[in-house]
Amino acid sequence: RGPAQGALPEHLLRRVPLVKEIHRRVLAQGRLREEEALEALQARFPQAEARRVWRRLLEWSRFAGLFAYDESSRTLYPPGAA
């Protein structure tokens, strides 16, 4: 990991409230199903936009190492727990 990537998790958690909220839920529950995350996003965005936001949130959060994602169950886990 380079210095920029090493700072990315902290940056996302500080600057992107949705990432912070999802991260908190994953840590508190030990996992978070995609459908639960989408329900939370759909409370803020139209359905199509919620799906687009979900995909970006998932990409950046996984890249930063904030979550592990099991594609077969469509579930987020804390890193190393999946």
Side-chain angles (χ1 to χ4, degrees):
R1 261 189 186 183
Q5 188 179 359
L8 185 57
E10 294 81 20
H11 179 77
L12 287 173
L13 291 170
R14 270 195 328 268
R15 302 287 186 178
V16 185
L18 284 172
V19 171
K20 185 176 183 176
E21 179 182 335
I22 298 292
H23 187 255
R24 181 188 57 75
R25 290 180 69 177
V26 169
L27 293 181
Q29 298 173 11
R31 67 177 184 183
L32 183 66
R33 292 185 342 260
E34 181 176 314
E35 62 196 46
E36 293 175 90
L38 280 171
E39 285 174 11
L41 292 172
Q42 287 170 357
R44 299 175 185 195
F45 303 103
Q47 185 174 0
E49 182 70 6
R51 289 196 171 278
R52 188 187 70 76
V53 168
W54 168 250
R55 285 192 299 270
R56 292 303 160 272
L57 185 144
L58 186 60
E59 287 173 7
W60 278 101
S61 298
R62 287 175 71 191
F63 177 76
L66 291 173
F67 309 116
Y69 182 70
D70 178 24
E71 293 192 25
S72 64
S73 68
R74 298 180 133 178
T75 303
L76 287 173
Y77 295 93

